[in-house]
Amino acid sequence: MGHREDLLEGAKRCLLEKGFARTTARDIVKESGTNLASIGYHYGSKDALLVEAYVALVEPMGEGFEGAVGAARATEGGGIERFRETWANVIRSIPESRAIWMLSLEVITQGERLAGIRDLLAKAQVEGRRGLAAMFTGIEESDLTDDVVETEGRFYATLLNGLMVQWLFDEESATDAEQLTEGLRRVMDRVSAT
């Protein structure tokens, strides 16, 4: 591995151990066995490196959701059973990815202190919405239209963020996939009745 990869791996370990706010450039250098100048040379800034490390930590989670949705893929794209099964898979993944969810919550709650990081991550949200829309609809990401990403992708991202906060706060009382699906059914029934 070269310095670039070493820095990325070191930054990932620091994020999982210390979070965004408490990770310093010196922590990353110590963890990666590189030097301070390497951060600027390869990533431009510590914040840019931390964002890339965070995205590298999050990407496998999305792929895990996708892989776990295999059974739901047999159902019609975007159907209620796919909705339930996908949320069940997301919820099953929470215990093993708790540290990553905590990082997301840190950005949300400490945004003013992490302005550079927040701004960089805000740009990555479009890809997150695209991935969620693809996962729930069964449409390949490359085939999704912008309006699907900007409507359905935003809807799923909003649900995911709310679910994440509930599960991090108190998993005993957090919403499960059945409750989320039944809630959606009832909302759809109420809307179609008017």
Side-chain angles (χ1 to χ4, degrees):
M1 260 195 308
H3 276 207
R4 182 174 176 76
E5 295 82 15
D6 292 339
L7 285 166
L8 186 63
E9 291 305 311
K12 286 165 45 176
R13 289 189 296 274
C14 287
L15 281 175
L16 292 172
E17 182 183 325
K18 295 181 167 212
F20 283 104
R22 291 187 1 216
T23 296
T24 67
R26 291 191 189 286
D27 293 331
I28 297 167
V29 166
K30 181 179 177 185
E31 189 66 34
S32 65
T34 61
N35 59 64
L36 284 172
S38 294
I39 293 174
Y41 178 78
H42 291 290
Y43 292 94
S45 70
K46 177 194 81 159
D47 285 352
L49 169 56
L50 289 176
V51 167
E52 192 159 328
Y54 175 76
V55 169
L57 287 167
V58 170
E59 281 177 342
M61 287 175 48
E63 293 163 8
F65 299 162
E66 281 285 340
V69 174
R73 286 213 184 276
T75 64
E76 287 298 312
I80 197 82
E81 182 54 32
R82 182 187 192 98
F83 181 90
R84 188 201 62 73
E85 185 64 27
T86 302
W87 284 117
N89 291 326
V90 168
I91 290 167
R92 275 193 287 277
S93 77
I94 291 173
E96 71 228 21
S97 52
R98 187 173 179 82
I100 298 167
W101 289 114
M102 292 298 288
L103 287 170
S104 299
L105 193 57
E106 181 183 4
V107 172
I108 292 166
T109 60
Q110 308 240 347
E112 292 79 32
R113 294 184 193 135
L114 304 169
I117 290 169
R118 185 193 61 213
D119 293 345
L120 292 168
L121 286 174
K123 293 175 184 171
Q125 282 193 30
V126 174
E127 288 309 307
R129 290 192 293 265
R130 181 172 296 283
L132 286 167
M135 185 169 56
F136 279 95
T137 63
I139 301 169
E140 292 295 323
E141 284 190 44
S142 59
D143 295 334
L144 285 170
T145 59
D146 289 342
D147 69 306
V148 170
V149 173
E150 289 302 309
T151 55
E152 294 176 54
R154 284 181 183 275
F155 173 74
Y156 293 122
T158 300
L159 288 176
L160 181 62
N161 288 331
L163 194 65
M164 171 194 66
V165 169
Q166 287 181 21
W167 276 87
L168 291 175
F169 179 71
D170 179 23
E171 64 183 66
E172 295 299 318
S173 66
T175 303
D176 66 24
E178 296 299 330
Q179 293 164 326
L180 198 56
T181 304
E182 184 57 25
L184 177 63
R185 276 192 189 109
R186 290 181 184 212
V187 168
M188 289 170 37
D189 289 346
R190 192 173 311 278
V191 168
S192 60
T194 59

